[in-house]
Amino acid sequence: RLTLIPTFAGVQGAPGRQPRVAAHVSDICEIVVTCPSVGARTRMVVQEDTTVDAITRRARQALGFDQSFLNDSDFQVYLKKDESTPISGKIGDHGLVPWGPEGMELHIYFDPPL
């Protein structure tokens, strides 16, 4: 029995350059956000201009702390290496580095004002 398989002739040229998306990969960093009091953690991709407020909102949702009766302002975010002062503003202002062994880890705590 003979089976015919369609074939295609010709040479397809290779693209001359990488897609533009690859040029911007270095602008994207992965961080880990941990809630030490319950041992929950999540990873997320951020850029230098991502705000700590945006990270707080995303982390609350990912960690299951996004109940409507809790406010974003009730959560404080700290650098893992220095929990003496909460951070705010843009994450790029706090030593953001590409992910690796010395990558950025943040700790988030529920700390409502008294």
Side-chain angles (χ1 to χ4, degrees):
R1 183 172 191 170
L2 181 64
T3 304
L4 297 177
I5 301 172
T7 60
F8 298 94
V11 177
Q12 186 175 10
R17 47 182 260 174
Q18 295 286 335
R20 290 197 59 98
V21 174
H24 297 289
V25 170
S26 63
D27 296 341
I28 298 171
C29 298
E30 183 181 50
I31 63 171
V32 173
V33 181
T34 302
C35 183
S37 58
V38 296
R41 58 187 354 189
T42 186
R43 298 180 335 185
M44 65 179 68
V45 174
V46 298
Q47 294 179 306
E48 287 187 0
D49 62 348
T50 303
T51 64
V52 173
D53 289 339
I55 292 169
T56 301
R57 283 190 299 275
R58 290 171 54 192
R60 284 185 58 203
Q61 184 177 24
L63 298 172
F65 304 136
D66 56 346
Q67 292 83 0
S68 61
F69 57 87
L70 299 175
N71 297 316
D72 287 338
S73 60
D74 292 340
F75 291 85
Q76 301 296 320
V77 178
Y78 300 85
L79 295 172
K80 176 186 176 183
K81 61 186 176 186
D82 178 16
E83 291 189 347
S84 63
T85 307
I87 62 172
S88 61
K90 295 180 180 178
I91 197 64
D93 297 337
H94 299 286
L96 182 66
V97 295
W99 183 247
E102 301 301 319
M104 178 175 273
E105 182 172 350
L106 304 177
H107 284 179
I108 185 170
Y109 290 98
F110 179 67
D111 188 18
L114 298 175

